[in-house]
Amino acid sequence: MAGHSKWKNIQHRKGRQDAAKAKLFTKISKEIYQAARAGGADPNTNPRLKHAIAKAKDANIPSENIERTIKKATGQLDGVSYEEIIYEGYGPGGVAVMVEALTDNRNRTAADVRHIFTKNGGNLGESGCVSFMFDRKGIIEISRENKDLDEDSVMMAALDAGAEDFEATEESFEIKTTPEDFETVRTSLEEAGYELDTAEISMIPQNTVKVTGEDAEKMLKLVEMLESNDDVQDVYTNFDIDEEELEKMQ
């Protein structure tokens, strides 16, 4: 579970924010589009859309932008058509990498992703070559910056809401759910007054691969370049880098 926070902590350590606001808006808008297109415009009957809208609101995307995207997806407005693609491969040191993309041009995206892998010492593989190494889980994190939070109270609130697992780290309380229970647990914690630092459905590696030296530097660059691509929605890996190794890269 703690491995899920590794990349986020590295980004923070490197002083790097997520994508620029405009890029983030584009990625979330694509996610809303695809969710509405696949499951309909009503978030009450479309959990995927409900989750995407929640992400949009967390990112301060205006409501009118959200509504316009949903209308495009359901044919009420003209718009481009996106398709979902998952790329799988290996990074430096044998690290497993999964890339989720939404694109209106499959050939362009495939070429871009392949180039990024090759440039950073990795290679694309066949569908299914690494996906079996990951489990799809709901992940919720509550920061421990609020010193008034009681660990036992947070744990009981999470478990009572249907959480699958709970872990306390130095930085946060980490809550794991099944994808099906994610929205229920998230809503219950928010209604209980907890401020959620992270709430997403993610791919959690079953095991991690430790990388050092040049492999570690290339691995970080690989993930950064993939995340910077407009068509890439999410990147999942199973790498691990020691704190001492991170210090060398500052």
Side-chain angles (χ1 to χ4, degrees):
M1 180 67 176
H4 172 259
S5 301
K6 174 65 74 171
W7 176 240
K8 188 175 71 172
N9 291 340
I10 289 172
Q11 289 175 311
H12 179 74
R13 181 77 64 85
K14 290 164 67 69
R16 176 181 177 273
Q17 297 296 320
D18 199 2
K21 181 174 288 188
K23 187 180 292 291
L24 182 61
F25 278 22
T26 299
K27 289 178 182 288
I28 296 178
S29 294
K30 283 185 179 179
E31 188 172 345
I32 291 172
Y33 177 97
Q34 192 67 7
R37 184 184 178 196
D42 185 0
N44 293 316
T45 57
N46 185 346
R48 182 179 173 188
L49 177 60
K50 184 176 181 180
H51 175 55
I53 291 174
K55 286 175 66 175
K57 291 181 176 179
D58 288 343
N60 296 317
I61 295 179
S63 297
E64 55 266 30
N65 292 31
I66 297 172
E67 294 171 6
R68 185 165 58 250
T69 300
I70 293 174
K71 287 181 178 179
K72 285 182 179 180
T74 54
Q76 299 177 60
L77 294 174
D78 291 334
V80 297
S81 180
Y82 296 106
E83 64 174 318
E84 292 179 287
I85 307 175
I86 297 178
Y87 300 97
E88 302 180 39
Y90 292 91
V95 172
V97 183
M98 288 185 63
V99 181
E100 292 184 353
L102 277 177
T103 180
D104 59 349
N105 187 323
R106 174 187 284 264
N107 291 335
R108 178 196 67 222
T109 305
D112 287 348
V113 171
R114 185 177 302 277
H115 172 72
I116 292 171
F117 267 85
T118 302
K119 184 174 182 178
N120 294 285
N123 61 281
L124 278 179
E126 298 294 326
S127 177
C129 69
V130 301
S131 57
F132 68 93
M133 303 180 191
F134 296 81
D135 295 317
R136 193 167 187 83
K137 297 292 181 182
I139 300 296
I140 298 171
E141 295 185 10
I142 300 174
S143 174
R144 299 191 71 153
E145 289 182 359
N146 184 346
K147 304 301 182 182
D148 295 331
L149 289 179
D150 176 69
E151 180 177 331
D152 289 339
S153 297
V154 178
M155 179 176 66
M156 292 309 301
L159 296 178
D160 287 346
E164 188 177 70
D165 192 20
F166 176 92
E167 181 179 346
T169 71
E170 292 183 4
E171 296 84 16
S172 65
F173 300 115
E174 299 182 344
I175 299 155
K176 182 165 62 177
T177 78
T178 64
E180 296 77 16
D181 291 337
F182 172 76
E183 281 298 335
T184 299
V185 176
R186 172 185 176 141
T187 300
S188 179
L189 290 172
E190 287 179 333
E191 291 178 348
Y194 293 108
E195 184 175 341
L196 310 185
D197 187 48
T198 299
E200 62 187 9
I201 295 177
S202 184
M203 299 295 288
I204 308 302
Q206 298 168 1
N207 297 289
T208 58
V209 174
K210 186 165 291 186
V211 288
T212 60
E214 185 178 352
D215 282 347
E217 292 184 16
K218 287 184 176 181
M219 191 63 231
L220 295 184
K221 187 64 176 178
L222 170 62
V223 176
E224 286 188 6
M225 289 185 67
L226 286 170
E227 289 190 337
S228 295
N229 184 279
D230 286 341
D231 296 330
V232 172
Q233 295 295 107
D234 289 295
V235 180
Y236 307 109
T237 78
N238 67 346
F239 77 85
D240 188 22
I241 300 177
D242 285 338
E243 292 294 323
E244 295 78 7
E245 199 72 30
L246 287 176
E247 293 290 343
K248 296 177 184 177
M249 290 185 270
Q250 298 306 306

